[in-house]
């Protein structure tokens, strides 16, 4: 055990205190029901053994100390803890002394007599504590240390009664986990689910699709090797903690792949050498992260018949019912009995004999804690903070319609890792979908056609293209007549469902399981090091003068006769002032609590610490102080500039090397221009497809390499209604192109070139006649079509070369597009199957639809010609994306598009302050969803609608007396309104207008005034001049 061992003293004492408190409470209140009346208990560890499964002894060591201490004896009493271990290990334990509970550490040496006295002292402590001693009866440690203890204990065992405290340690210590433990279990579970969905499913599909012969052992080994790829876990869709360390991951179960009629649903199952069989495939694995375990298992159905699919749906409903029922206060046997009752009440009650005898157990430091086993006899109650694995399954069921010899019997299994809460449970492995749509695969030709049709009928709302999105007019006056009331009602109902789903997802994702932080990165106190040794100080410090060391980015100040270094990052500013013959140099330092705005990012590391805020020095040498102040200011500016550059480039990745194609000529697309341009110059070059990426190169030798593993989306945009044809690559992580980072790389060619024809000859400058103009248009149309075909084929070739990456060519739907301002200029936004893009003008816009949490439409009110749209991302740390000034004619199509792709949206009359809203959400996402989540946006729009209705209703009001009087008047005048009412009304208007002058009269008066002013003669003269 090396010097790197660091035991968390605070965690140790906190957990030890909780254990002893539970022990004392059991003695006082429960009549020793849990601990069995023991006065003390021991945890004895012998030599270490290589095993993936922890026992209670290992678990107690990890729970208290964070490490295993072989050849160690722990004696626990309600008031003290004695530890017997080697001298080397004792040094690491010395720092635990001084806590609430006294700790006695006895160091073993080579002196056998001294070692025997240590054991005698422990036995005396046991005897003083009572006649009952708690032991871990089912565990059998081995080694010389254990033998010595057994020999010493054998002589005193006559007066001591041994009691098994295995259940007590499970319930009082290990079962209920704190925040740090829950976070480790969650990360372990998400990593397990990520391997299952984002690697195994793809590998399995490829093997089945290409009909490869791969054994279960080979496939399991391939999954096992995935732990050696840190990048895989960094790119998982299920987010892991920011400080996730792949070096602390290890398999504790499997990976196990089973198929072909031979199945073992126990966690001790091992993969065999049989080939993967296209039928029922069960895959299971378990990971341990920072000593905490999780498990996940899924059954994949390849071309299943109706009976198998029906049985799987029954198993899934049982599995979900158990998870729904699991909460604080529920007995474990009730969960198992719930499953049995569902089977008995189903259409297949005979499946009860095939159901597993245990539907799971506790999980955490131990892979399987049988004290919390889910079976028909376990009366123990669940508590908030416990973690379980739920494992349901049917074993060896007879297949009524086997497709071959290996399909005569089959098994089904589903396993998830969950966390118990007061009112419900949280599924940590929900990243691995278990619904039939995710686990059923159809490869047979006769079943390929009906499958998509069936899916289309199930959910007609889902799809990137909605035919009703195309507007028939651009006139705002006519737009309102196109609103389909039925479609609006359908959208409202669907949006209500989406809103409820978002609320449930938010509560499960940002649960109390992860504590108050909920994934929010906490600011840390920054520490800087100027010098590691005294001899690194500048030589001028001997003069006890102020020294600015630019090389070390440090200012050395003379304080009480000693040179004290201050890193420039701790300096706020420096200023020099003159007062009489003296010059004063003031150096202000950064300290917590100094600022009051958003720039105050200095957290308190220690609330009791004291900070120096400023130093003031006095001298008669004003010029020197002026030079020092300038040096400090320049050094500070340089440090800030370096920090900004570092922050700007922190997400830039250094790609692996491009593997070039050697044995053949690479597929090439020439005469294309890149964006962003290399060195800021527009130079054409060619793009080549190599083994693991793309390479662009121009005639100067400048190149851009893009690896397929770093590509997030690939787009092809034809030149229809555009001046250029585009192949656009959107990256997962930015790369450096020249001196700038870029997350979008584009290769394009201009669609028309009026200067040259296809043969390269210069065209005539002048064309005459409609026929030649028509011929030119036809020629341009053919060139555009040929160019689109050429670029699309190249994009498809890229997709084929990167088929292992899981992305394809995405083409924008222009008919669904709309104008908007995502950055500075008004551009045409176009949806694709997976994104919303603008690829024509830089800066480009690419929004991945899967990453969008909700859309909010702002400034939606009568009379405005435009509205704005805001996209809030699932990653709340990411600022929302605004698309402004969208024409109101696009409002209905945008709503229909958002609804068709299952994005929840709201609308409101005003622009919201999203920076404040997101700051509130990220501070406590769990509380945000507890308070209703995004419903406040819908409530705002509802309030506005209600206000409008009230305004309309209150526009005209009459009292009862006025209403009665109006009724009397109308009854008296009924005879006035006959068939000629309109004619009478018209004549009445004519009579009113007859009182004024008609147009002829007004014209005569105007001519008279013109004659009096001489204007008429001028008009006649002008007429004569024109005739001449």
């Amino acid at each position: 055990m090396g010097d790197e061992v660091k035991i968390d003293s605070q965690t140790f004492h906190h957990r030890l205190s909780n254990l002893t408190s539970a022990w004392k409470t059991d003695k006082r209140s429960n009549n020793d029901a849990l601990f069995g009346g023991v006065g003390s208990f021991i945890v004895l560890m012998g030599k270490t053994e290589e095993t993936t499964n922890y026992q209670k002894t290992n678990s107690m060591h990890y729970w208290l100390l964070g490490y295993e201490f072989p050849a160690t004896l722990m004696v626990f009493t309600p008031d003290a803890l004695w530890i017997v271990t080697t001298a080397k290990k004792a040094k690491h334990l010395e720092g635990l002394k001084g806590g609430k509970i006294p700790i006695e550490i006895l160091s073993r040496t080579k002196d056998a007599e001294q070692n025997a006295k240590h054991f005698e002292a422990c036995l005396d402590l046991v005897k003083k504590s009572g006649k009952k001693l708690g032991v871990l009866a089912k565990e059998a440690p081995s080694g010389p240390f254990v033998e010595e203890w057994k020999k010493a204990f054998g002589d005193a065992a006559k007066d001591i009664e041994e009691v098994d405290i295995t259940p007590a340690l499970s319930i009082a210590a290990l079962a209920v986990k704190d925040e740090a433990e829950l976070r480790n279990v969650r990360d372990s579970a998400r990593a397990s689910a990520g391997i299952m969905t984002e690697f195994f499913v793809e590998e399995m599909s490829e093997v089945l699709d290409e009909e490869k012969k791969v054994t279960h052992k080979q496939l399991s080994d391939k999954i096992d090797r995935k732990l050696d790829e840190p990048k895989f876990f960094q790119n998982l869709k299920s987010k892991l903690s920011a400080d996730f360390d792949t070096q602390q991951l290890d398999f504790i179960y499997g990976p196990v792949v089973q198929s072909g009629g031979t199945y073992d649903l126990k966690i001790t199952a091992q993969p065999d050498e049989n080939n993967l069989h296209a039928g029922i495939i069960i895959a299971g694995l378990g990971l341990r992260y920072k000593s905490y375990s999780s498990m996940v298992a899924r059954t994949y159905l390849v071309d299943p018949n109706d009976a198998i699919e029906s049985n799987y749906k029954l198993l899934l409903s049982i599995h979900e019912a158990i998870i729904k029922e699991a909460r604080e206060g529920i007995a474990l046997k009730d969960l198992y009995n719930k499953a049995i009752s569902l089977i008995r009440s189903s259409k297949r009650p005979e499946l009860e004999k095939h159901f597993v005898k245990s539907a799971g157990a506790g999980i955490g430091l131990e892979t399987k804690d049988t004290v919390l086993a889910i079976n028909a006899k376990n009366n123990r109650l669940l508590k908030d903070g416990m973690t379980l694995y739920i494992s349901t399954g049917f074993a060896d069921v007879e297949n009524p319609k086997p497709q071959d010899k290996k399909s005569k019997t089959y098994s089904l299994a589903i396993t998830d890792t969950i966390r118990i809460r007061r009112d419900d449970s949280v599924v940590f492995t929900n990243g691995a979908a278990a619904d039939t749509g995710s686990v059923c695969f159809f490869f047979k030709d006769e079943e390929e056609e009906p499958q998509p049709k069936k899916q289309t009928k199930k959910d007609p709302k889902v799809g990137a293209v909605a035919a009703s999105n195309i507007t028939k007019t651009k006139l705002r006056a006519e737009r309102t007549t196109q609103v389909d009331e039925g479609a609006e009602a359908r959208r409202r109902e669907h949006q209500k469902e989406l809103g409820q789903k978002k609320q449930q997802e938010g509560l499960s994702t940002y649960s109390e399981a992860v504590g108050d932080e909920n994934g929010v990165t906490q600011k840390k106190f920054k520490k800087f090091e100027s010098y590691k040794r005294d001899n690194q100080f500048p030589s001028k410090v001997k003069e006890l003068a102020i020294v600015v060391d630019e090389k070390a980015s440090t200012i050395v100040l003379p304080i009480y006769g000693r040179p004290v270094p201050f890193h420039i990052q701790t300096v706020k500013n420096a200023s020099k002032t003159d007062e009489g013959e003296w010059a004063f140099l003031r150096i202000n330092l950064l300290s917590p609590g100094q600022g009051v705005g958003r720039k105050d990012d200095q957290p308190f590391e220690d609330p009791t610490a004291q900070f120096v805020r400023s130093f003031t020095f006095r001298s008669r040498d004003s010029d020197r102080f002026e030079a020092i102040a300038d040096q400090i200011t320049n050094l500070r500016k340089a440090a800030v500039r370096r920090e900004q550059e570092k922050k700007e480039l922190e997400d830039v990745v250094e790609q692996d090397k491009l593997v070039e194609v050697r044995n053949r000529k690479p597929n090439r697309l020439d005469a294309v221009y890149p964006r962003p341009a290399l060195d800021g110059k527009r130079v054409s070059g060619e793009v080549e497809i190599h083994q693991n990426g793309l390479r662009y190169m121009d005639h100067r030798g400048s190149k851009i390499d893009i690896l397929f593993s770093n590509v997030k989306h690939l787009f092809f945009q034809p030149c229809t209604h555009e001046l250029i044809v585009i192949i656009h690559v959107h990256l997962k992580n930015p790369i450096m192109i020249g001196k700038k980072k870029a997350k979008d790389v584009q290769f394009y060619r201009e669609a028309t070139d009026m200067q040259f024809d296809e043969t390269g000859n210069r065209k005539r400058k002048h064309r005459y006649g409609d026929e030649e103009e028509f011929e030119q248009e036809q020629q341009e149309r053919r060139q555009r079509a040929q160019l689109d075909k050429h670029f699309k084929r190249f994009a498809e070739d890229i997709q084929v070369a990167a088929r292992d990456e899981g992305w394809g060519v995405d083409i924008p739907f222009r008919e669904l597009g709309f104008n908007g301002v995502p950055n500075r200029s008004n551009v045409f936004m176009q949806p694709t199957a997976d994104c919303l893009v603008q690829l024509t003008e830089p800066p480009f816009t690419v929004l991945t639809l899967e990453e969008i949490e909700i859309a909010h439409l702002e400034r939606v009110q009568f009379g405005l010609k435009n509205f704005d749209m805001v996209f809030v991302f699932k990653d709340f740390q990411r600022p929302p994306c605004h698309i402004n000034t969208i024409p109101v004619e696009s409002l209905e199509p945008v709503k229909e598009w958002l609804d068709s792709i299952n994005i929840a949206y709201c609308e409101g009359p005003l622009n919201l302050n999203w920076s404040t809203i997101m700051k509130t959400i990220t501070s406590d996402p769990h509380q945000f969803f507890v308070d209703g989540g995004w419903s406040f946006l819908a409530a705002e729009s509802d309030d506005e609608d209600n206000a409008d209705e009230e305004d309309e209703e209150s526009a005209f009001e009459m009292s009862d007396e006025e209403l009665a009087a109006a009724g009397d008047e109308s009854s008296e005048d009924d005879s006035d309104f006959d068939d000629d009412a309109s004619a009478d009304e018209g004549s009445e208007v004519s009579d009113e207008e007859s009182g004024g002058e008609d147009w002829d009269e007004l014209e005569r008066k105007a001519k008279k005034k013109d004659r009096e002013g001489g204007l008429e003669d001028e008009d006649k003269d002008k007429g004569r001049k024109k005739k001449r």
Side-chain angles (χ1 to χ4, degrees):
M1 193 168 294
D3 296 335
E4 72 277 2
V5 174
K6 292 182 180 179
I7 300 174
D8 190 337
S9 176
Q10 185 176 354
T11 301
F12 170 83
H13 286 290
H14 176 70
R15 293 179 178 177
L16 181 61
S17 177
N18 288 345
L19 174 60
T20 54
S21 297
W23 190 359
K24 292 176 182 177
T25 302
D26 183 61
K27 278 181 174 293
R28 186 171 57 252
S29 305
N30 300 333
N31 298 320
D32 294 317
L34 187 60
F35 282 84
V38 300
S40 60
F41 67 87
I42 63 170
V43 176
L44 176 64
M45 175 172 281
K47 64 180 182 180
T48 56
E49 298 179 0
E50 290 296 330
T51 177
T52 56
N53 296 327
Y54 289 166
Q55 294 180 320
K56 283 287 186 295
T57 302
N58 311 82
S59 300
M60 286 298 295
H61 275 247
Y62 278 110
W63 187 66
L64 285 173
L65 306 173
Y67 302 91
E68 277 186 343
F69 279 67
T72 299
L73 172 68
M74 293 183 180
V75 182
F76 294 82
T77 69
D79 303 313
L81 168 61
W82 284 32
I83 302 175
V84 181
T85 188
T86 61
K88 189 174 182 181
K89 300 186 189 75
K91 291 180 181 178
H92 299 295
L93 298 172
E94 286 293 334
L96 301 178
K97 290 184 177 180
K100 183 178 179 182
I101 298 175
I103 297 174
E104 184 71 26
I105 300 173
L106 305 177
S107 300
R108 287 171 57 84
T109 62
K110 295 181 179 180
D111 187 352
E113 292 184 5
Q114 184 68 25
N115 295 339
K117 289 181 180 179
H118 291 335
F119 284 145
E120 288 176 7
C122 291
L123 289 171
D124 291 339
L125 177 66
V126 169
K127 291 177 182 179
K128 290 179 183 178
S129 302
K131 293 184 178 181
K132 290 185 178 182
L133 172 66
V135 295
L136 299 173
K138 296 181 180 179
E139 298 185 12
S142 60
F145 179 80
V146 176
E147 295 302 323
E148 287 183 42
W149 165 253
K150 286 182 178 179
K151 183 179 178 181
F153 181 72
D155 299 333
K158 298 175 183 178
D159 302 329
I160 299 174
E161 178 186 352
E162 295 184 8
V163 178
D164 185 14
I165 57 157
T166 301
L169 293 186
S170 284
I171 301 301
L174 304 176
V176 178
K177 296 166 182 62
D178 57 30
E179 180 183 327
E181 293 176 290
L182 289 169
R183 187 176 289 109
N184 291 337
V185 175
R186 183 197 62 183
D187 283 342
S188 172
R190 288 183 176 178
S192 300
I195 291 178
M196 181 67 72
T197 55
E198 298 183 36
F199 180 72
F200 171 73
V201 173
E202 299 298 328
E203 288 294 318
M204 178 191 68
S205 302
E206 183 180 345
V207 170
L208 296 175
D209 195 22
E210 299 180 7
E211 298 182 356
K212 296 179 180 178
K213 291 186 178 181
V214 179
T215 67
H216 299 144
K217 186 71 167 62
Q218 290 172 338
L219 196 53
S220 299
D221 291 342
K222 202 168 186 179
I223 301 171
D224 197 347
R225 290 194 292 271
K226 210 64 186 172
L227 292 191
D228 300 328
E229 300 180 22
K231 288 185 179 179
F232 171 79
F233 295 96
Q234 293 173 4
N235 298 325
L236 284 181
K237 293 179 181 178
S238 300
K239 285 193 174 180
L240 303 172
S241 297
D243 58 348
F244 187 81
D245 183 9
T246 56
Q247 297 296 321
Q248 301 197 51
L249 268 180
D250 193 14
F251 278 105
I252 49 101
Y253 158 52
V256 179
V257 182
Q258 306 175 72
S259 66
T262 304
Y263 303 96
D264 183 0
L265 301 188
K266 298 177 181 177
I267 63 173
T268 55
Q270 296 294 327
D272 55 32
E273 296 293 341
N274 295 327
N275 288 335
L276 187 70
H277 177 260
I280 306 300
I281 301 172
I282 297 179
L285 59 92
L287 286 178
R288 175 181 287 135
Y289 177 67
K290 291 185 177 179
S291 304
Y292 287 85
S293 308
S294 68
M295 278 194 283
V296 62
R298 294 290 182 264
T299 301
Y300 296 98
L301 315 178
V302 182
D303 297 322
N305 55 44
D306 293 340
I308 294 176
E309 194 169 354
S310 176
N311 289 343
Y312 181 81
K313 288 179 180 178
L314 173 61
L315 179 64
L316 181 61
S317 65
I318 293 169
H319 189 81
E320 291 175 345
I322 291 177
I323 293 175
K324 187 176 180 180
E325 189 74 10
R327 59 184 182 275
E328 188 174 35
I330 298 295
L332 288 162
K333 68 176 183 179
D334 292 340
L335 299 182
Y336 190 84
N337 293 334
K338 176 78 172 178
I340 297 299
S341 64
L342 288 174
I343 298 173
R344 291 173 179 172
S345 61
S346 69
K347 296 179 180 179
R348 298 291 308 277
E350 66 275 11
L351 288 174
E352 181 181 348
K353 63 183 179 182
H354 298 282
F355 191 67
V356 292
K357 302 303 179 186
S358 175
I363 195 169
L365 286 167
E366 293 180 274
T367 306
K368 181 180 180 180
D369 188 354
T370 54
V371 174
L372 298 177
I374 302 173
N375 54 40
K377 299 180 181 179
N378 198 338
N379 294 313
R380 301 194 185 281
L381 301 180
L382 294 174
K383 294 182 180 179
D384 183 12
M386 288 183 174
T387 52
L388 310 173
Y389 74 89
I390 306 296
S391 182
T392 55
F394 294 128
D396 302 326
V397 183
E398 187 176 347
N399 188 356
K401 297 179 182 179
Q403 59 187 15
D404 51 36
K405 293 180 180 179
K406 293 184 176 181
S407 302
K408 290 182 179 180
T409 60
Y410 65 92
S411 298
L412 303 172
I414 307 173
T415 301
D416 278 303
T417 302
I418 69 169
R419 180 251 170 148
I420 303 300
R421 298 196 300 188
R422 291 178 182 174
D423 301 319
D424 57 2
S425 58
V426 180
V427 182
F428 281 153
T429 50
N430 57 1
D435 58 284
T436 53
S438 301
V439 302
C440 290
F441 295 83
F442 296 91
F443 292 97
K444 289 186 177 180
D445 295 337
E446 62 268 20
E447 293 185 21
E448 281 181 352
E449 292 183 2
Q451 188 66 20
K453 292 181 181 177
K454 188 175 180 182
Q455 290 177 351
T456 305
K457 290 180 181 178
K458 280 184 180 178
D459 194 356
K461 305 182 191 75
V462 179
V465 184
S468 59
N469 283 0
I470 305 172
T471 57
K472 297 177 182 177
T473 178
K474 290 186 177 180
L475 300 178
R476 274 202 307 143
E478 297 178 17
R479 179 188 63 80
T480 54
T481 62
Q482 298 178 39
V483 178
D484 187 350
E485 296 296 335
E488 181 65 23
R490 175 182 59 77
R491 282 204 303 264
R492 284 182 179 274
E493 188 64 28
H494 187 218
Q495 286 298 313
K496 188 177 180 181
E497 295 174 5
L498 291 176
Q500 294 173 351
K501 185 178 178 182
K502 286 291 178 189
Q503 177 69 6
Q504 294 172 358
E505 289 178 356
L507 289 172
S508 62
T509 303
Y510 297 98
S511 63
E512 293 177 331
V514 295
D516 295 334
E517 293 183 6
N518 283 305
V520 179
T521 304
Q522 299 295 314
K523 293 177 181 177
K524 296 181 179 179
F525 192 85
K526 295 180 181 179
K527 295 182 178 180
F528 305 96
E529 188 176 46
S530 298
Y531 307 105
K532 293 184 178 180
R533 294 179 297 276
D534 292 345
N535 57 9
Q536 293 179 339
F537 276 84
S539 56
K540 293 182 180 179
V541 299
K542 296 178 180 178
E543 303 172 6
L544 291 180
I546 299 175
V547 179
V548 180
D549 187 357
E550 295 183 2
K551 185 177 180 181
S553 298
T554 300
I555 304 166
V556 183
L557 303 178
I559 300 175
Y560 293 113
R562 294 184 62 86
V564 181
F566 291 87
H567 196 277
I568 191 63
Q569 293 288 6
T570 64
V571 177
K572 186 177 182 181
N573 53 39
S575 61
K576 174 251 181 183
T577 56
D578 293 313
E579 293 183 12
E581 63 178 356
W582 294 98
F584 293 88
L585 176 66
R586 182 183 177 89
I587 300 175
N588 296 316
L589 306 178
L590 292 169
S591 60
Q594 192 171 2
V596 294
R598 66 181 66 178
K599 293 183 179 179
D600 182 25
D601 59 349
Q602 296 289 322
F604 284 99
E605 186 185 45
D606 182 5
T608 63
Q610 295 182 349
F611 294 87
V612 178
R613 289 197 171 180
S614 65
F615 291 102
T616 303
F617 295 89
R618 186 179 68 168
S619 172
R620 287 190 172 88
D621 193 346
S622 178
D623 294 338
R624 171 164 169 73
F625 269 15
E626 185 74 32
I628 292 174
D630 290 342
Q631 286 179 321
I632 295 174
T633 302
N634 294 334
L635 194 60
R636 177 65 185 163
K637 288 180 180 178
V640 170
R641 186 168 59 251
R642 285 195 301 271
E643 282 291 316
Q644 290 175 345
E645 291 175 354
K646 183 180 178 182
K647 188 175 181 180
E648 184 180 354
L649 300 178
E650 63 183 1
D651 56 346
V652 176
V653 297
E654 185 175 348
Q655 299 184 118
D656 295 333
K657 290 185 179 180
L658 187 78
V659 180
E660 299 182 27
V661 174
R662 297 292 184 186
N663 55 353
R664 59 178 174 81
K665 191 175 181 181
N667 197 348
R668 184 179 287 116
L669 180 67
D670 56 3
V672 296
Y673 296 94
R675 288 201 290 195
L678 283 165
D679 302 327
K681 298 178 181 178
R682 186 173 177 269
V683 180
S684 66
E686 55 186 24
V687 182
E688 297 176 345
I689 303 176
H690 290 277
Q691 291 186 26
N692 65 335
L694 302 175
R695 169 168 287 175
Y696 167 83
M697 185 176 294
D698 58 23
H699 67 275
R700 302 173 300 176
S702 302
K703 62 183 180 182
I704 302 173
D705 289 345
I706 303 173
L707 297 190
F708 294 144
S709 59
N710 193 30
V711 175
K712 189 174 184 180
H713 298 292
L714 176 68
F715 302 100
F716 160 68
Q717 179 173 297
C719 55
T720 308
H721 305 291
E722 300 286 353
L723 297 177
I724 56 177
V725 58
I726 296 170
I727 290 178
H728 186 98
V729 182
H730 181 67
L731 305 176
K732 295 176 183 175
N733 299 297
I735 61 173
M736 294 300 295
I737 298 181
K739 296 182 180 180
K740 296 183 179 179
K741 70 174 184 177
K743 201 170 184 179
D744 291 274
V745 183
Q746 189 178 99
F747 306 106
Y748 71 96
R749 188 188 297 175
E750 294 179 350
T752 57
D753 190 347
M754 302 300 293
Q755 189 175 3
F756 296 95
D757 62 14
E758 285 183 331
T759 60
N761 297 325
R762 187 176 295 276
K763 291 187 176 182
R764 289 180 296 172
K765 293 183 179 180
H766 304 287
R767 286 183 175 272
Y768 301 95
D770 294 339
E771 293 182 2
E772 291 186 346
E773 187 174 338
F774 178 74
E775 178 190 345
Q776 183 180 357
E777 290 176 358
Q778 291 292 331
Q779 180 68 17
E780 182 179 339
R781 195 174 290 114
R782 284 193 294 269
Q783 286 180 359
R784 283 173 171 267
Q786 186 65 27
L787 199 57
D788 285 346
K789 184 178 179 182
H790 188 39
F791 267 67
K792 185 178 181 181
R793 189 188 305 118
F794 188 78
E796 290 171 347
D797 291 341
I798 296 174
Q799 178 183 346
V800 171
R803 56 183 174 273
D804 295 336
E805 299 298 331
W807 44 260
V809 181
D810 218 352
I811 303 176
F813 302 115
R814 189 173 182 84
E815 61 272 19
L816 299 181
F818 54 90
N819 285 298
V821 183
N823 291 293
R824 294 185 294 272
S825 58
N826 195 317
V827 294
F828 190 66
M829 306 293 300
Q830 300 179 80
T832 71
D834 301 319
C835 302
L836 176 65
V837 301
Q838 184 283 119
L839 309 176
T840 307
E841 295 183 21
F844 308 115
T845 302
V846 178
L847 301 179
T848 305
L849 300 179
E850 279 188 356
E851 298 174 353
I852 294 174
E853 171 80 5
I854 194 171
H856 184 59
L857 310 179
E858 300 181 328
R859 295 197 301 125
V860 178
Q861 53 180 309
F862 180 76
L864 294 182
K865 296 181 180 180
N866 303 299
F867 68 97
D868 303 331
M869 181 160 53
V870 180
F871 288 110
V872 181
F873 298 100
K874 293 178 181 177
D875 180 6
F876 294 151
Q877 300 296 328
R878 188 175 169 187
C881 176
H882 295 254
I883 301 177
N884 301 323
T885 323
I886 305 172
V888 75
E889 292 84 7
S890 301
L891 180 60
E892 290 301 318
V894 166
K895 286 183 181 180
E896 185 65 27
W897 168 66
L898 290 172
D899 189 70
S900 70
I901 56 176
N902 288 340
I903 289 183
Y905 69 84
C906 308
E907 56 183 86
L910 303 173
N911 292 104
L912 303 179
N913 188 343
W914 285 99
S915 60
T916 304
I917 293 173
M918 297 312 296
K919 190 178 294 184
T920 303
I921 295 172
T922 53
S923 63
D924 192 349
H926 173 69
Q927 189 61 40
F928 170 73
F929 283 103
V930 168
D931 294 339
W934 301 109
S935 59
F936 79 95
L937 295 175
E940 180 192 352
S941 59
D942 293 342
D943 294 342
E944 185 66 22
D945 293 340
N946 295 336
D948 293 342
E949 291 175 5
E950 291 175 3
D951 292 344
E952 292 174 5
E953 291 174 0
S954 62
F956 177 70
E957 295 180 355
M958 293 181 66
S959 65
D960 295 338
E961 294 79 1
E962 291 173 335
L963 190 61
D968 296 340
E969 291 176 6
S970 62
S971 62
E972 293 174 1
D973 298 339
D974 281 346
S975 60
D976 295 339
F977 294 93
D978 53 9
D979 294 338
D980 297 329
S982 59
D984 295 341
E985 193 175 323
S987 62
E988 185 180 340
V989 174
S990 301
D991 293 341
E992 289 176 1
E993 290 182 352
S994 63
E997 297 175 343
D998 59 7
W999 284 107
D1000 294 336
E1001 184 71 22
L1002 291 171
E1003 190 173 353
R1004 282 196 298 272
K1005 286 185 177 182
K1007 286 183 178 180
K1008 183 178 179 181
K1009 287 186 178 182
D1010 290 343
R1011 282 196 299 272
E1012 290 174 357
L1015 295 173
E1016 188 175 359
D1017 297 336
E1018 292 179 6
D1019 292 339
K1020 289 181 180 180
D1021 293 339
K1022 289 180 180 178
R1024 292 193 194 101
K1025 290 179 181 178
K1026 287 180 180 179
K1027 288 178 182 179
R1028 291 174 186 173

